[in-house]
Amino acid sequence: MAAARFALLITPAESTDEERADFSDSFRRIDPGAPALSVGELSTQRGDGIFESIGVVDGHAQEVEAHVQRLAHSAALCELPEPHREQWRQAVAIAAAECGPGEWVIKLILSRGVDHGPAPTAWVTAAPAGDFAAARADGIRVVTLDRGYDSGAAERSPWLLLGAKTLSYAVNMAALREAHRRGADDAIFVTTDGVVLEAPTASLILRFGDRFVTPAPHGGILQGTTQISLFAHLEEQGFTTEYATVPTADLATADQAWLVSSVRLAAPIAAIDDAPLAIDHAFTDGLNAYLLSARD
Ligand code: PLP
């Protein structure tokens, strides 16, 4: 992703304020290249906050509602004040109007704010997206990486915040570096008891014949907006979709597989742990054409 070209600071409104229809005076446009946060910010000191990345295609922000709802879900898991959904929708609309042609990314960030401060800190940015043409067309090689906990961890230890999209992505970035060290492009996390989870920044979809399967989002993984959207699209085409507990061994029996996410979209998997996997280029092109069409 390129540097942000647009940034908007948000004074978060109370979620209970149902009367208010116009939030323009709660937004302050700032220079995206200039310092903006206090050194006491808990987002930067502890990664204590949540975020969303929304794909934008030719000025149309994709699946805004799903992202705003997931922001609210993450806020609830992290015990942050409930976001005022309409305020965030309006902030996204302002940011989308600043995006030029082609693919961009809008980020929503809600931090716990400054230690002992009055309120959370919130902002939105817009930046041109990276170029993912090669990943979409040629595919990506992935390795499985042990996530270090078993499939009961999310339920047993809710303080791990496993289903929340928190700003603490240092582990996710370390996993990507490990994948690169092993000669791969990306990773698939698996639990210590052999259950497939997700990638560090994407969801996994496996194809078995005409059945499409994704690991069930039982709290151990983030449910992807792209996966949900693709499942609806696949069902419309007559395919079967399924949320399942996927044993690691099943990765070897899939006919095809993709990592899917809001900005890179559908990246077909060319190999898992060096075992080659077939890529259906025409089918994958169809998935990405759908993901690039205006979606609400
Ligand atoms: N899982 C993780 C851990 C992610 O970080 C992401 C996206 O960033 C996803 C899944 C895919 O989510 P989405 O499709 O909403 O981008």
Side-chain angles (χ1 to χ4, degrees):
M1 191 174 86
R5 302 259 182 92
F6 171 80
L8 197 66
L9 270 183
I10 300 172
T11 304
E14 297 279 343
S15 64
T16 47
D17 187 354
E18 285 168 12
E19 300 295 300
R20 192 164 171 188
D22 180 2
F23 291 89
S24 41
D25 65 358
S26 69
F27 302 137
R28 185 162 60 87
R29 188 176 178 149
I30 56 169
D31 175 352
L37 299 177
S38 157
V39 290
E41 248 301 314
L42 293 174
S43 55
T44 53
Q45 290 196 18
R46 295 182 180 157
D48 195 354
I50 55 175
F51 78 107
E52 285 294 323
S53 295
I54 303 180
V56 183
V57 182
D58 293 331
H60 184 275
Q62 306 279 44
E63 302 275 355
V64 175
E65 202 50 39
H67 284 284
V68 169
Q69 295 301 346
R70 191 170 63 188
L71 186 78
H73 178 66
S74 296
L77 290 176
C78 294
E79 298 171 73
L80 284 162
E82 186 181 351
H84 195 301
R85 290 164 175 72
E86 180 54 22
Q87 181 181 35
W88 285 93
R89 285 182 206 112
Q90 290 184 18
V92 172
I94 293 169
E98 298 289 331
C99 297
E103 294 177 52
W104 285 57
V105 52
I106 291 177
K107 276 197 162 200
L108 320 183
I109 294 138
L110 176 61
S111 144
R112 201 171 300 278
V114 176
D115 217 357
H116 307 298
T121 317
W123 67 99
V124 166
T125 62
D131 181 359
F132 297 111
R136 292 173 195 163
D138 307 335
I140 52 173
R141 300 176 67 82
V142 305
V143 287
T144 51
L145 291 182
D146 182 350
R147 188 70 174 86
Y149 50 70
D150 68 36
S151 50
E155 200 179 342
R156 206 169 53 237
S157 311
W159 48 88
L160 294 179
L161 305 176
L162 294 179
K165 196 166 168 67
T166 75
L167 289 168
S168 315
Y169 261 46
V171 166
N172 306 47
M173 296 301 110
L176 286 181
R177 290 195 298 276
E178 179 61 25
H180 296 159
R181 253 193 302 278
R182 296 184 188 195
D185 305 296
D186 213 320
I188 295 174
F189 284 133
V190 298
T191 64
T192 52
D193 52 344
V195 173
V196 177
L197 293 169
E198 61 185 342
T201 66
S203 314
L204 172 69
I205 296 180
L206 301 166
R207 179 175 190 172
F208 302 92
D210 282 345
R211 198 165 55 91
F212 289 79
V213 176
T214 198
H218 289 319
I221 61 173
L222 189 77
Q223 184 160 24
T225 61
T226 316
Q227 171 267 309
I228 294 172
S229 181
L230 270 178
F231 266 26
H233 173 68
L234 289 166
E235 278 159 28
E236 266 176 24
Q237 316 242 303
F239 293 109
T240 305
T241 62
E242 193 181 313
Y243 293 93
T245 300
V246 180
T248 311
D250 281 11
L251 291 174
T253 63
D255 297 316
Q256 285 145 35
W258 296 264
L259 292 187
V260 305
S261 52
S262 294
V263 183
R264 188 172 62 183
L265 305 180
I269 297 180
I272 303 180
D273 292 334
D274 286 330
L277 208 60
I279 295 179
D280 184 335
H281 293 280
F283 187 80
T284 301
D285 288 349
L287 296 182
N288 280 316
Y290 164 71
L291 291 172
L292 285 164
S293 66
R295 291 177 293 127
D296 290 316

